[in-house]
């Protein structure tokens, strides 16, 4: 049995005991205050039973007919509890007013044992209020937090009755009825607060401050993520968030999914456990022309990769060139048609281009290959080391050879000055590749990895 259900069950046992104690003591002493507290505890007993079953329902996992779970069952129970409290307080107030304005009723008997009963009641009220609040807060249970509020109200009501009977014992007979009115007032205040809070949840109101916390958490991810919509609601201690964010249009599916995961973690970290749904869309409004062009080309189904996107300013306007990769077995007429569609999509995404040049490439395939020991091809190793020394001034820190269905491939790592820009490092790598292939024509490809010295 979970801590929430166990606490709810203990509340039932405590409420049942208090009803019996207060009712017997109230009937024996004729104290309306004690009878009012008995009625209040009777309501608490019904409420505790409702809470117990509501918690059982609320803990059920989501199913086909309740895809968001059963969490609102606790809030329905709390709302019903509030309605019952209002009815009970009306009865208490009516009886108290009748006694204050009428006559003929027996004066309450403020014997010592009535104070002993109230002492026991006050201890029990404090104990269950603290326990329900602690477990309810730890498990974010609306029903238990509602119980804690009511038990605290019971404690205040018991204190009022205690003072009323104390005044009765000192010659103020109407003090007991006044104490009953105070109990009724406390019950109404508690019921109003309870109903207001749970109606807000049932109406899917956003928890106070939750949106700001979530928005700040998302903004900390980085400047490349724009929050376009954020809707939050809470039920049964769980937060439900619907988030729409925009990223660079050429971010790609993998990057978009990674951003969605980051947003989900940020919202969960800010608001606690819950269900966060993230929708990612392109940020066309502030994206660069290059990003919009790449994203537009990728909307053509046949286009699998886009690279080498370049914008060139010339006298009469702006031209764009790019490489697109298509399936290797695609006939040339279909490949050309796909390139035409990509160019049309780019023209619509980036108005004002004077020309669009596409270079069609086959999508790389997987080749069978094998590792080749460097000492098996000493001439190739010499060529690679010489090329690296000529361009960078030092030999490669790593060198490996692979023979694939396409030919001989060299994989080398060269060190460059840490202050070198990425553009300069790329140029150096290209020169190493070209020099190595010139020195050893048997090389089909040289893959150069640059790293700071």
């Amino acid at each position: 049995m979970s801590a929430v259900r166990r606490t709810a069950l203990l509340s039932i046992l405590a409420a049942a005991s208090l009803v019996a104690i207060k009712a017997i003591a109230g009937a024996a002493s004729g104290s309306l205050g004690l009878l009012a507290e008995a009625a209040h505890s009777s309501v608490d007993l019904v409420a505790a039973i409702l809470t117990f079953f509501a918690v059982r329902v609320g803990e059920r996992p989501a199913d086909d007919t309740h895809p968001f779970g059963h969490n609102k069952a606790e809030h329905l129970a709390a709302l019903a509890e509030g309605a019952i409290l209002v009815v009970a307080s009306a009865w208490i107030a009516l009886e108290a007013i009748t006694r204050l304005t009428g006559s003929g009723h027996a004066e309450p008997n403020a014997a010592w044992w009535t104070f002993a009963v109230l002492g026991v009641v006050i201890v029990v009220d404090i104990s269950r209020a603290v326990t329900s609040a602690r477990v309810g807060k730890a498990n974010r249970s609306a029903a238990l937090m509602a119980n804690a509020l009511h038990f605290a109200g019971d404690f205040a009501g018991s204190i009022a009755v205690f003072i009323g009977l104390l005044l009765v014992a000192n010659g103020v007979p109407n003090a007991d009825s006044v104490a009953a009115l105070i109990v009724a007032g406390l019950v109404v205040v508690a019921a109003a607060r309870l109903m207001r809070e749970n109606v807000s949840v049932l109406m899917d109101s956003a928890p106070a401050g939750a949106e700001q916390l979530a928005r700040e958490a998302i903004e900390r991810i980085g400047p490349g993520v724009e929050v376009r919509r954020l809707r939050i609601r809470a039920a049964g201690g769980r937060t439900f968030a619907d988030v729409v964010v925009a990223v660079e249009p050429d971010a790609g599916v993998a990057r978009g999914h990674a951003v969605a995961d980051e947003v989900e973690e940020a919202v969960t970290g800010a608001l606690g456990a819950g269900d966060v749904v993230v929708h990612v869309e392109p940020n066309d409004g502030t994206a660069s022309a290059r990003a919009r062009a790449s994203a537009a080309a990728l909307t053509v189904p046949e286009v699998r990769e886009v690279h080498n996107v370049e914008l060139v300013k010339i006298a009469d306007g702006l031209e764009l060139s790019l490489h697109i990769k298509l399936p290797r077995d695609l006939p040339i007429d279909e490949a050309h048609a796909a390139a035409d569609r990509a160019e049309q999509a780019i023209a619509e995404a980036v108005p004002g281009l004077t020309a669009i040049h596409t270079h069609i490439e086959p999508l790389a395939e997987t080749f069978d290959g094998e590792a080749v020991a460097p000492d098996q091809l000493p001439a190739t190793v010499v060529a690679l080391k010489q090329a690296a020394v000529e361009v960078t001034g030092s030999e490669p820190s790593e060198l490996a050879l692979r023979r694939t269905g396409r030919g001989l491939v060299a994989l080398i790592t060269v060190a460059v000055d840490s202050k070198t820009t990425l553009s300069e490092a790329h140029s150096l790598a290209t020169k190493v590749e070209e020099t190595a292939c010139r020195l050893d024509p048997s090389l089909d490809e040289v893959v150069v990895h640059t790293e700071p010295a």
Side-chain angles (χ1 to χ4, degrees):
M1 183 181 294
S2 68
V4 176
R5 288 175 60 188
R6 184 168 58 252
T7 303
L9 182 58
L10 290 174
S11 293
I12 293 176
L13 298 176
S17 300
L18 289 177
V19 169
I21 293 173
K22 291 177 182 179
I24 293 172
S29 65
S31 169
L32 179 59
L34 274 173
L35 290 175
E37 276 294 292
H40 191 182
S41 294
S42 297
V43 174
D44 284 345
L45 175 59
V46 174
I49 294 172
L50 285 174
T51 299
F52 180 74
F53 288 105
V55 167
R56 289 187 61 184
V57 174
E59 288 179 344
R60 293 178 185 173
D63 53 35
D64 292 340
T65 55
H66 300 85
F68 293 100
H70 301 75
N71 308 91
K72 287 189 176 181
E74 292 191 29
H75 300 283
L76 286 171
L79 191 62
E81 183 175 346
I84 296 172
L85 285 173
V86 171
V87 174
S89 64
W91 176 83
I92 296 170
L94 181 62
E95 183 66 20
I97 292 171
T98 300
R99 290 197 178 191
L100 287 171
T101 58
S103 60
H105 61 274
E107 185 174 313
N109 178 18
W112 66 267
W113 51 266
T114 59
F115 295 100
V117 167
L118 280 170
V120 172
V121 167
I122 288 171
V123 171
V124 174
D125 284 338
I126 294 174
S127 175
R128 61 181 184 160
V130 171
T131 301
S132 294
R134 177 174 51 80
V135 178
K137 184 176 182 180
N139 294 273
R140 304 183 74 186
S141 170
L144 281 185
M145 292 303 292
N147 272 1
L149 178 65
H150 299 157
F151 298 155
D154 284 354
F155 168 71
S158 297
I159 292 295
V161 173
F162 185 92
I163 294 173
L165 286 177
L166 194 62
L167 291 173
V168 168
N170 286 276
V172 186
N174 286 336
D176 181 61
S177 297
V178 173
L181 276 176
I182 293 174
V183 172
L186 293 172
V187 172
V188 169
V189 171
R193 178 180 174 185
L194 175 65
M195 296 175 75
R196 182 178 66 253
E197 291 176 353
N198 286 277
V199 165
S200 294
V201 172
L202 293 171
M203 293 298 292
D204 290 332
S205 299
E211 181 176 342
Q212 183 64 25
L213 287 173
R215 190 176 294 276
E216 291 174 354
I218 296 171
E219 289 174 351
R220 284 195 291 270
I221 294 174
V225 180
E226 175 194 348
V227 181
R228 290 193 167 175
R229 187 180 73 196
L230 179 58
R231 298 188 299 186
I232 299 174
R233 65 181 179 87
R238 288 172 57 83
T239 300
F240 296 84
D242 173 18
V243 190
V244 176
V245 295
V247 298
E248 283 290 315
D250 62 341
V253 175
R255 175 55 186 157
H257 184 268
V259 168
D261 285 344
E262 291 174 1
V263 171
E264 183 175 348
E265 291 175 4
V267 174
T268 301
L271 304 181
D275 188 344
V276 183
V277 178
V278 184
H279 173 72
V280 180
E281 58 187 26
N283 187 358
D284 294 326
T286 60
S288 65
R290 180 190 177 283
R292 283 181 282 147
S294 299
L298 288 168
T299 61
V300 178
E302 294 87 350
V303 178
R304 305 299 171 80
E305 293 181 17
V306 175
H307 63 101
N308 285 25
V309 182
E310 294 184 354
L311 288 164
V312 181
K313 290 182 179 180
I314 55 175
D316 57 348
L318 190 65
E319 294 186 356
L320 182 140
S321 64
L322 74 162
H323 294 205
I324 60 175
K325 289 192 175 184
L326 309 174
R328 299 181 67 86
D329 56 354
L330 198 66
I332 186 60
D333 58 340
E334 295 182 22
H336 184 267
D340 285 344
R341 292 197 299 275
E343 291 178 6
Q344 182 179 355
I346 292 170
E348 293 174 357
V350 190
L353 292 174
T354 57
I356 301 172
H357 307 280
T358 55
H359 172 71
I360 304 173
E361 297 179 5
L363 191 66
E365 63 182 37
T366 302
F367 295 99
D368 292 332
E370 60 178 350
V372 179
D375 57 6
Q376 295 179 0
L377 298 171
T380 300
V381 172
V382 170
L384 290 167
K385 290 182 178 181
Q386 182 179 341
V389 170
E390 288 184 12
V391 177
T392 68
S394 59
E395 294 187 354
S397 58
E398 295 181 15
L399 188 154
L401 298 173
R402 303 286 185 265
R403 194 176 298 281
T404 71
R406 189 176 60 191
L408 183 62
V409 178
L411 309 168
I412 65 173
T413 299
V414 298
V416 298
D417 189 277
S418 59
K419 304 299 183 181
T420 303
T421 65
L422 178 59
S423 177
E424 293 169 341
H426 180 264
S427 297
L428 291 174
T430 302
K431 289 180 182 179
V432 172
E433 295 170 15
E434 293 172 348
T435 303
C437 290
R438 175 174 54 80
L439 294 173
D440 186 353
S442 69
L443 286 165
D444 181 73
E445 183 181 5
V446 179
V447 180
V448 180
H449 173 72
T450 57
E451 63 182 19

